[in-house]
Amino acid sequence: MSEQNNNHESIDQNVSHDNVSHDNVSHDNVAHDESILEETLKEFDPQNNAGEESVIENDIDLDTFKARIAELEGEVKQAKESTARANAETYNAQKRMEQEADKSKRFALQKFAKELLEVVDNLERAIENVNADDPVTEGVRLTHKALLDVLNKNGVEVVEPQGEKFNADFHEAVGIDADAPADTVGTVLQKGYSLNGRLLRPAMVRVGQ
């Protein structure tokens, strides 16, 4: 019985000793963790890092970086200017092509229209020389009018300058009209025509002197 008690007391002492040791280890860890936390907080505290000693020394040359940035900015500016010039040249080329296409379209019928004017002249001569009571005369008039309407729709207009100031750009003087004022168109021998504002055929006229 005495031996059992002694064993029991020995076990209690060992357990008690282990508990004490464990408590000491726990306290040591807590203390150590608190020390690390305090050191970390102090390290990142601005008040503890103010001054010249807080500046990290390095070998970076700011002037080199500034020069490189300026160089890149210059390249970007040059690229933008080149793009702007290219866009302007493309725009101008497109406009020139549109103008040429429009000009070609407007004057594509020039030769054909000029040949039709001979038909118009013949119809007018026929109207002037036929009998007004002849049934054919009305048909000739209608044909003449229809032909002029077609020409007008395609930009052909009559230049009939009687009584106007003589203009060498649109009129061709072939004689003198004694009854007309000086430099004024008197008799129109043949009508002139223009195509979209461009002279197709000058009017043949007599001019006052």
Side-chain angles (χ1 to χ4, degrees):
M1 184 72 176
S2 175
E3 183 179 354
Q4 290 179 351
N5 291 333
N6 291 334
N7 291 335
H8 185 269
E9 290 176 357
S10 176
I11 292 172
D12 290 341
Q13 289 176 357
N14 290 334
V15 170
S16 176
H17 178 72
D18 291 341
N19 289 335
V20 170
S21 299
H22 179 72
D23 290 341
N24 291 335
V25 171
S26 298
H27 285 298
D28 289 342
N29 289 337
V30 170
H32 183 66
D33 291 342
E34 288 179 353
S35 177
I36 293 175
L37 179 60
E38 290 176 357
E39 291 177 359
T40 304
L41 291 175
K42 289 180 180 180
E43 181 179 356
F44 288 94
D45 188 353
Q47 294 181 354
N48 297 327
N49 288 280
E52 296 180 355
E53 295 181 355
S54 63
V55 179
I56 300 175
E57 295 184 358
N58 57 75
D59 296 331
I60 298 175
D61 187 357
L62 294 180
D63 291 336
T64 302
F65 280 95
K66 290 179 181 179
R68 182 55 179 162
I69 291 172
E71 182 181 352
L72 293 175
E73 288 178 346
E75 292 178 359
V76 170
K77 183 179 179 181
Q78 185 176 3
K80 288 182 178 180
E81 291 176 352
S82 298
T83 302
R85 285 194 297 269
N87 291 337
E89 291 176 358
T90 302
Y91 178 79
N92 292 333
Q94 181 180 355
K95 286 300 179 182
R96 284 194 296 268
M97 291 177 62
E98 291 177 356
Q99 291 174 358
E100 290 297 328
D102 182 62
K103 188 181 296 183
S104 299
K105 180 180 178 181
R106 289 193 316 176
F107 301 116
L109 296 176
Q110 182 173 349
K111 183 177 179 181
F112 179 67
K114 195 170 183 178
E115 292 178 353
L116 283 180
L117 296 182
E118 296 181 4
V119 179
V120 174
D121 294 338
N122 291 333
L123 290 174
E124 290 177 350
R125 293 189 189 99
I127 293 172
E128 291 175 358
N129 294 305
V130 298
N131 189 347
D133 297 332
D134 190 339
V136 178
T137 303
E138 186 62 23
V140 174
R141 287 197 181 96
L142 292 175
T143 303
H144 176 260
K145 182 178 183 302
L147 183 56
L148 287 179
D149 289 341
V150 172
L151 290 172
N152 288 335
K153 288 179 181 179
N154 287 276
V156 178
E157 297 180 353
V158 178
V159 177
E160 192 171 5
Q162 187 171 12
E164 297 180 0
K165 197 76 173 176
F166 176 77
N167 186 345
D169 293 333
F170 294 95
H171 314 145
E172 182 181 353
V174 295
I176 302 298
D177 190 335
D179 297 329
D183 296 327
T184 301
V185 175
T187 306
V188 178
L189 302 176
Q190 186 182 65
K191 295 176 183 178
Y193 291 89
S194 64
L195 175 60
N196 294 317
R198 181 177 181 179
L199 185 64
L200 188 61
R201 186 182 76 181
M204 296 177 62
V205 301
R206 290 195 179 101
V207 186
Q209 190 175 17

